[in-house]
Amino acid sequence: VTAPPGAAWPRTAGVIPHRSSRRDAVRRQGLPASGPLTLFLELAGCLTVPELVAVGDHLVLDPRVLDPSDARPYMTIDQLVAAVSGATGRGVRAARVAAAQVRAGVESPMETLLRLILLAAGLPEPLCGYELKGVGWFDLAWPRYRTIAEYDGDGHRTSTRQYDRDIRRFDAAADLDWRVIRVRNSGVTSHRE
């Protein structure tokens, strides 16, 4: 919770108070909220760098399926990097490290964490939100190596429609000599910082 200068600090369990003079407040569903940059900097003081990268990925996402009531992206990667480079305050070092790792095209926090794990393991930078023409979209791809990595969340397991669509995409990619590597929750969470 962010309090403007001069306001009382909110004090309750589970609330981390911030004081901010930044002027990028917005209204979300009728409530005052921090703007994208302020939010990123506020969270830099209480999240891990990988979690903060996931926030950044969300802020810069231009989703394939648009929600007319939610104008996206909230900011560009260039705007984020430029803004944190001149910022001061708690967590700004983490914000700069995280902003440098933010990528466009990432549709979920688990995709972000999977990408960061693979990079830490020495794999080259993947393309995020990759469209294999005539087949569909994939989370992470290395076209040079004809390899795709997909994070399979519970929706992929519990929705028959999603599961069937995934199988068709994976089979079509394999027919084009692409290797599809599927990663479940435990494959990501067992590597978290």
Side-chain angles (χ1 to χ4, degrees), residues 9-10 46 49 51 53 63 72 99 116 124 130 150:
W9 284 84
C46 58
V49 169
E51 291 168 337
V53 175
R72 302 291 301 273
L116 296 176
Y130 181 77
E150 277 284 294

Side-chain angles (χ1 to χ4, degrees), residues 42-182:
E42 289 169 344
L43 292 175
C46 58
L47 296 180
T48 66
V49 169
E51 291 168 337
L52 193 57
V53 175
V55 170
D57 285 352
H58 176 75
L59 292 174
V60 305
L61 176 65
D62 187 0
R64 290 187 301 272
V65 179
L66 299 175
D67 177 351
S69 66
D70 187 19
R72 302 291 301 273
Y74 300 118
M75 62 190 341
T76 67
I77 293 174
D78 290 342
Q79 289 170 327
L80 177 61
V81 170
V84 300
S85 71
T88 60
R90 185 173 97 182
V92 74
R93 285 188 189 115
R96 289 181 185 133
V97 170
Q101 297 176 61
V102 168
R103 299 293 179 267
V106 181
E107 296 271 343
S108 80
M110 295 303 275
E111 290 175 29
T112 298
L113 298 177
L114 175 58
R115 175 174 55 86
L116 296 176
I117 289 165
L118 295 173
L119 289 171
L123 271 68
E125 181 86 32
L127 298 178
C128 302
Y130 181 77
E131 182 180 19
L132 183 56
K133 298 292 184 204
V135 175
W137 292 87
F138 294 90
D139 297 340
L140 305 172
W142 296 264
R144 177 178 175 190
Y145 303 103
R146 301 181 72 83
T147 301
I148 292 166
E150 277 284 294
Y151 172 74
D152 282 348
D154 279 342
H156 297 267
R157 179 183 56 81
T158 59
S159 166
T160 300
R161 182 174 175 220
Q162 179 69 47
Y163 184 74
D164 289 345
R165 187 172 45 214
D166 287 346
I167 293 299
R168 284 192 301 274
R169 279 187 313 124
F170 300 154
D171 288 348
D175 289 345
L176 295 173
D177 293 323
W178 282 72
R179 178 181 172 96
V180 178
I181 300 166
R182 298 169 65 190

